[in-house]
């Protein structure tokens, strides 16, 4: 029962993260949405493992956590430099509202 | 309960797909396609295919997000409005979807033990494997012995791809250094 409630709560969180990624309005809302969605996927995989009585996929959830971290780093690097290979320092005065 | 999770994930997938069509902000499109990939990976996990799910999230969330962001740096982040309604792409998409649905009619039911894939060579592998190949792990035995030529071909392809990428990167760096040297 506890796992069912947590699965429903995680699915609700996923829906709200999608809504935030859709509406924006700033780039940080969207970066946070995809990061939170990655975390929710990790949790959902873990909860589903226990829900079906086979928690063998827990290590897969760990790998997901690492992957979603890489994605977030790439997005934030792109946002602050405008380029993935740039070596210049970020300009704190720049406004990123797209 | 897993049916409910399946339905909820598919509903979120549909919402994300429609949103991807409507959005004009390409940065949001990149973010949502990462979410789309995570959703499909979740669906693969509920279908007991964690290896496919892992590949999906590595390629869909990891590599293609980085590549699409790199493309965004070149093309800008706003999509132009189409000047006229495009009928041909819509027709192609609907036709392809109809063909795929038609093809689905012949696919064996999901998880049925009588499916052809469980009948052909798998029982023989499981029965004969301990005598033929003294490897405790069935998957290792199948990959490294029964399908060893296949595995060798796959590793050759991956090795060649890795060497190619390394050569391209090294060549670019060396040329960059050569150009800088005369100036210094």
């Amino acid at each position: 029962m506890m796992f069912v409630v947590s699965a429903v709560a995680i699915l609700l969180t996923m829906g709200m993260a999608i809504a935030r990624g859709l509406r924006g309005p700033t780039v940080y809302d969207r970066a946070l949405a995809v990061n939170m969605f990655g975390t929710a996927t990790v949790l959902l995989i873990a909860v589903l493992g226990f829900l079906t009585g086979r928690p063998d996929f827990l290590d897969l959830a760990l790998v997901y956590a690492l992957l979603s971290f890489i994605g977030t780093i790439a997005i934030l690097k792109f946002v602050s430099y405008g380029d993935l290979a740039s070596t210049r320092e970020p300009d704190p005065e720049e406004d990123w509202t797209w | 309960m897993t049916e409910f999770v399946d339905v909820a994930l598919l509903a979120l997938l549909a919402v994300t797909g429609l949103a991807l069509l409507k959005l004009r902000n390409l940065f949001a499109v990149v973010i949502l396609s990462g979410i789309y990939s995570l959703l499909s990976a979740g669906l693969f996990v509920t279908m007991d295919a964690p290896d496919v799910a892992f590949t999906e999230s590595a390629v869909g969330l990891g590599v293609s997000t980085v590549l699409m962001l790199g493309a965004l740096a070149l093309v800008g982040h706003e999509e132009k409005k189409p000047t006229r309604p495009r009928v041909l792409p819509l027709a192609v998409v609907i036709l392809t979807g109809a063909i795929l649905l038609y093809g689905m009619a012949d696919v064996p039911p999901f998880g049925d033990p009588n499916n052809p894939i469980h009948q052909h060579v798998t029982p023989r592998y499981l029965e004969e494997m301990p005598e033929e190949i003294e490897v405790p792990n069935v998957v290792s035995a199948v990959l490294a012995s029964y399908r060893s030529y296949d595995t060798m071909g796959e590793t050759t392809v991956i090795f060649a791809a890795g060497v190619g990428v390394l050569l391209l990167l090294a060549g670019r760096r060396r040329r960059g250094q050569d150009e800088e040297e005369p100036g210094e």
Side-chain angles (χ1 to χ4, degrees), chain A residues 27 30 51 54 63-64 78 98, chain B residues 25 27 41 48 53-54 69:
Chain A
V27 71
R30 298 206 160 106
L51 199 65
R54 291 176 307 148
V63 179
Y64 269 41
F78 173 78
W98 43 275
Chain B
N25 183 335
F27 184 78
D48 281 347
F54 180 62
L69 284 175

Side-chain angles (χ1 to χ4, degrees), chain A residues 28-80:
Chain A
Y28 300 109
D29 291 315
R30 298 206 160 106
L32 194 63
V34 74
N35 193 17
M36 196 171 82
F37 200 90
T39 314
T41 313
V42 171
L43 292 175
L44 185 72
I45 291 171
V47 168
L48 274 182
F50 285 105
L51 199 65
T52 48
R54 291 176 307 148
D56 313 326
F57 300 157
L58 272 185
D59 36 356
L60 183 80
L62 289 177
V63 179
Y64 269 41
L66 293 173
L67 273 176
S68 115
F69 178 69
I70 294 173
T72 312
I73 292 288
I75 289 168
L76 292 179
K77 189 171 181 195
F78 173 78
V79 166
S80 48

Side-chain angles (χ1 to χ4, degrees), chain B residues 161-180:
Chain B
V163 168
V165 168
L166 284 178
L167 280 177
L168 282 174
L169 290 177
R172 197 179 153 196
R173 199 175 304 136
R174 201 173 304 125
R175 213 176 304 131
Q177 281 167 358
D178 289 346
E179 282 163 10
E180 278 169 21

Side-chain angles (χ1 to χ4, degrees), chain B residues 67-138:
Chain B
L67 288 181
M68 283 199 278
L69 284 175
L72 272 197
L74 298 175
V75 301
H77 45 258
E78 226 23 77
E79 186 183 347
K80 287 196 191 90
K81 272 211 181 311
T83 45
R84 58 196 163 80
R86 292 178 193 147
V87 183
L88 184 67
L90 183 69
V92 169
V93 164
I94 290 176
L95 188 69
T96 314
I99 291 173
L100 286 175
L101 282 177
Y102 174 72
M104 283 292 290
D106 277 348
V107 172
F110 176 70
D112 188 351
N114 294 321
N115 284 349
I117 188 168
H118 302 305
Q119 300 295 323
H120 178 43
V121 284
T122 312
R124 190 190 165 279
Y125 285 166
L126 291 175
E127 280 162 18
E128 308 286 327
M129 201 262 313
E131 288 80 44
E132 285 184 352
I133 309 150
E134 288 167 4
V135 176
N137 189 322
V138 186

